[in-house]
C-alpha cells in the first residue's frame, strides 16, 4: 500500500498512467466544517494488476497535484469514477480542471439495468463477486496516521472499480448505449455544475410566499450569506440557516437591537460583520425596484394534468424500463410524466436517447395514436 507524498512520486506515477487506456479514481474528503470540500486523500489504480496508490496531500504538505491535473487533461486516458459529482467538484475548485474523457460507473450501471443510483458496494458484489469492508466508512480522513485498515478500505474503492468499469464498458459496447452515457455525462463535464453564484442562491431557499418584496429580501440575504460563506470557506448554515433567513425576511430588522430579537439567529450573527451584512441585505431588499423582484417558477402548480393520461404514461414508462433494462427514473421522473400529461414537450424525457426509448411512444399515447394492451405479464403498444 504505497502512499505518495511528494510531487516527484506523483509525477512518476502519472507518467506511467499516461500510457494506460484508463485509470480509476476516488477521493476521501471532509465538508462538515467548510464551504468547499477539504481534500484528504486521492486513490488511483492502473488497469489489471497495475499498481494502486494513495496520494496524501495532508502528509505531503508541499506536494503539488499538478501532475495529476495534467493526467486529467490527457484525452488518451479515460478517467473512471463512481458517482463522480463530488469528486469532480473538488478537482474543479482545487485545480480548475475537469477530468476528460470521463466514465461514471453509477451512470453506466443505470443505463445497463442495475437500478437507480446503484451504490458501489452493490456493483462490487454483483459484478466482482466480492464484499467491500465497510468498517472505515465513517473515518475522519483528515486525521493522521491512517491505519492499514483505513488504507485498504480506501484502495478498495479503486481496485474493484477496474473490474466494474471493464464489465460495464463491455456491456455498453455490446448494446450500443455508450452514446447514452456520454449524453448523461454532459452535466458532470460542465463547469457551471460546480459554480454557485451568490445572485442565484435565493433559489435554493424553499418558500411558499409569492410576495415580490419578501422574495427580494430573501434574495439579498441569500446573496450575502453565500458570498460570506464562500469568502471565508465556512458552511452557509454556520452563517445563518434557512429558517433564520426566512424569519429575517419577515421581520425586516433595521438595526442591531431589532436583530437581537430574532429567535433563530445564532448569537455570533447578531453582531459584527454578519449583523452588518444582514442589515444591509434587508435594506437592499426593501429598496429594490419592483421591476427587479425575483419571480418563483410556479408553472408546475398551474399545469392542467390529465390524471388518467399520467397513469398511462407511468405504465408505459415501466414497460419501457423493463424492455430496455434501464432505470425508469433515468428515462423520466414522475414530475416529467405529469408535465407530458399536461401538454409540455420541452423536457429532457422528450429529447436525445430518451425520446428514442420513451418519448416518441409517449407522444403517440398522448395523441391517441397508440394504446396499451396487456399480453400475459407484458404491456404491449398497439397502433390505432
Amino acid at each position: 500500500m504505497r502512499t505518495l507524498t511528494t510531487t516527484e512520486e506523483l509525477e512518476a506515477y502519472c507518467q506511467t498512467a499516461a500510457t494506460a487506456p484508463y485509470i480509476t479514481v476516488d477521493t476521501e474528503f471532509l465538508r462538515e466544517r467548510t464551504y468547499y470540500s477539504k481534500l484528504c486523500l486521492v486513490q488511483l489504480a492502473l488497469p489489471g494488476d497495475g499498481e494502486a496508490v494513495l496520494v496524501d496531500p495532508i502528509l505531503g504538505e508541499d506536494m503539488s497535484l499538478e501532475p495529476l491535473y495534467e493526467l486529467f487533461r490527457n484525452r488518451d486516458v479515460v478517467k473512471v469514477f463512481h458517482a463522480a459529482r463530488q469528486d469532480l467538484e473538488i478537482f474543479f475548485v482545487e485545480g480548475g480542471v475537469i477530468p476528460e474523457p470521463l466514465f461514471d460507473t453509477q451512470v453506466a450501471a443505470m443505463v445497463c439495468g442495475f437500478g437507480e443510483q446503484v451504490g458501489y458496494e452493490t456493483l462490487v458484489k454483483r459484478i466482482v463477486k466480492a464484499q467491500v469492508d465497510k468498517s472505515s466508512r465513517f473515518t475522519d480522513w483528515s486525521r493522521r496516521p491512517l491505519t492499514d485498515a483505513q488504507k485498504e478500505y480506501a484502495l478498495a474503492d479503486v481496485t474493484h472499480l477496474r473490474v466494474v468499469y471493464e464489465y460495464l464498458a463491455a456491456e455498453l459496447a455490446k448494446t450500443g448505449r455508450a452514446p447514452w452515457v456520454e449524453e448523461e455525462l454532459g452535466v458532470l463535464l460542465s463547469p457551471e455544475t460546480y459554480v454557485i453564484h451568490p445572485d442565484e442562491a435565493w433559489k435554493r431557499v424553499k418558500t411558499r410566499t409569492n410576495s415580490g418584496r419578501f422574495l427580494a429580501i430573501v434574495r439579498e440575504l441569500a446573496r450575502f450569506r453565500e458570498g460570506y460563506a464562500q469568502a471565508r470557506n465556512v458552511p452557509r448554515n454556520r452563517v445563518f440557516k434557512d429558517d433564520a433567513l426566512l424569519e429575517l425576511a419577515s421581520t425586516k430588522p433595521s438595526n442591531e437591537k431589532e436583530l437581537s430579537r430574532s429567535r433563530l439567529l445564532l448569537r455570533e450573527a447578531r453582531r459584527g460583520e454578519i449583523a452588518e451584512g444582514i442589515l444591509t441585505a434587508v435594506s437592499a431588499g426593501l429598496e429594490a425596484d419592483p421591476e427587479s423582484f425575483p419571480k418563483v417558477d410556479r408553472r408546475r402548480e398551474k399545469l392542467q394534468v390529465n390524471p388518467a393520461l399520467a397513469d398511462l404514461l407511468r405504465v408505459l414508462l415501466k414497460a419501457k424500463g423493463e424492455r430496455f433494462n434501464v432505470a425508469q427514473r433515468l428515462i423520466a421522473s414522475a414530475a416529467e410524466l405529469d408535465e407530458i400529461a399536461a401538454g409540455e414537450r420541452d423536457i429532457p424525457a422528450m429529447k436525445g436517447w430518451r425520446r428514442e426509448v420513451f418519448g416518441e411512444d409517449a407522444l403517440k399515447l398522448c395523441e391517441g395514436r397508440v394504446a396499451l394492451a396487456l399480453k400475459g405479464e407484458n404491456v404491449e403498444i398497439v397502433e390505432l
Side-chain angles (χ1 to χ4, degrees), residues 52-348:
V53 298
L54 303 173
V55 180
D56 194 333
I58 294 178
L59 285 180
E61 293 181 9
D62 299 325
M63 177 175 58
S64 168
L65 293 180
E66 185 54 36
L68 180 61
Y69 299 150
E70 189 60 33
L71 178 64
F72 285 168
R73 298 184 190 102
N74 186 339
R75 299 193 63 85
D76 293 329
V77 182
V78 177
K79 274 65 71 170
V80 181
F81 293 77
H82 180 81
R85 193 191 185 289
Q86 287 188 297
D87 301 313
L88 298 187
E89 181 179 10
I90 291 172
F91 293 129
F92 180 76
V93 171
E94 297 245 343
V97 61
I98 296 176
E100 290 190 71
L102 172 72
F103 191 97
D104 189 321
T105 55
Q106 186 178 70
V107 175
M110 287 193 284
V111 169
C112 291
F114 282 85
E116 299 174 1
Q117 295 185 321
V118 61
Y120 179 67
E121 291 90 349
T122 300
L123 287 181
V124 170
K125 185 176 182 180
R126 293 175 63 179
I127 295 174
V128 189
K129 310 303 181 187
Q131 294 285 345
V132 175
D133 180 7
K134 303 177 183 179
S135 60
S136 298
R137 172 174 289 182
F138 300 109
T139 289
D140 179 349
W141 292 102
S142 67
R143 299 184 65 180
R144 295 295 181 272
L146 295 174
T147 66
D148 284 348
Q150 290 169 330
K151 292 177 182 179
E152 288 173 1
Y153 171 89
L155 282 174
D157 284 344
V158 287
T159 53
H160 294 315
L161 192 57
R162 297 178 292 200
V163 180
V164 172
Y165 163 67
E166 291 179 4
Y167 175 89
L168 292 174
E171 284 293 302
L172 293 173
K174 188 193 312 181
T175 59
R177 294 180 183 180
W180 296 13
V181 174
E182 290 175 14
E183 190 177 324
E184 292 307 296
L185 294 179
V187 173
L188 290 176
L189 292 171
S190 171
E192 276 300 304
T193 300
Y194 311 104
V195 177
I196 299 178
H197 300 285
D199 288 350
E200 302 293 317
W202 69 273
K203 295 178 180 179
R204 302 166 64 100
V205 182
K206 295 180 180 179
T207 173
R208 296 182 179 277
T209 303
N210 288 317
S211 164
R213 181 66 63 189
F214 181 87
L215 291 174
I217 300 172
V218 168
R219 177 186 61 195
E220 298 303 323
L221 286 167
R223 174 190 288 156
F224 161 70
R225 180 179 66 173
E226 206 72 25
Y228 184 95
Q230 289 179 351
R232 290 157 183 80
N233 196 22
V234 297
R236 65 176 65 87
N237 282 346
R238 291 280 183 90
V239 186
F240 47 83
K241 296 182 179 181
D242 283 0
D243 55 359
L245 187 153
L246 295 173
E247 180 191 45
L248 293 167
S250 179
T251 58
K252 308 176 188 63
S254 59
N255 54 57
E256 286 194 17
K257 183 178 180 180
E258 293 178 2
L259 192 63
S260 67
R261 298 176 187 147
S262 170
R263 297 177 298 107
L264 303 173
L265 204 58
L266 296 172
R267 182 179 302 173
E268 52 267 32
R270 301 182 186 191
R271 59 183 182 275
E273 280 186 294
I274 298 179
E276 183 179 333
I278 289 172
L279 295 174
T280 300
V282 170
S283 176
L286 289 170
E287 295 172 5
D289 187 329
E291 292 294 320
S292 72
F293 285 173
K295 294 178 176 60
V296 177
D297 186 356
R298 303 289 188 188
R299 286 180 303 168
R300 274 196 52 76
E301 297 175 5
K302 298 177 182 178
L303 289 179
Q304 299 297 312
V305 178
N306 181 329
L309 180 55
D311 287 341
L312 287 174
L313 287 168
R314 289 180 178 86
V315 174
L316 176 64
L317 176 62
K318 186 175 187 297
K320 290 290 188 177
E322 291 174 352
R323 177 183 171 186
F324 287 93
N325 197 24
V326 179
Q328 293 178 40
R329 198 172 71 176
L330 187 64
I331 301 173
S333 66
E336 286 178 316
L337 296 182
D338 286 342
E339 289 174 347
I340 295 171
E344 297 288 319
R345 299 293 179 261
D346 187 21
I347 56 176

Side-chain angles (χ1 to χ4, degrees), residues 19-34:
T19 65
Y22 72 85
I23 186 168
T24 55
V25 189
D26 191 37
T27 68
E28 305 297 344
F29 56 87
L30 291 180
R31 197 168 192 169
E32 289 79 8
R33 298 185 292 273
T34 56

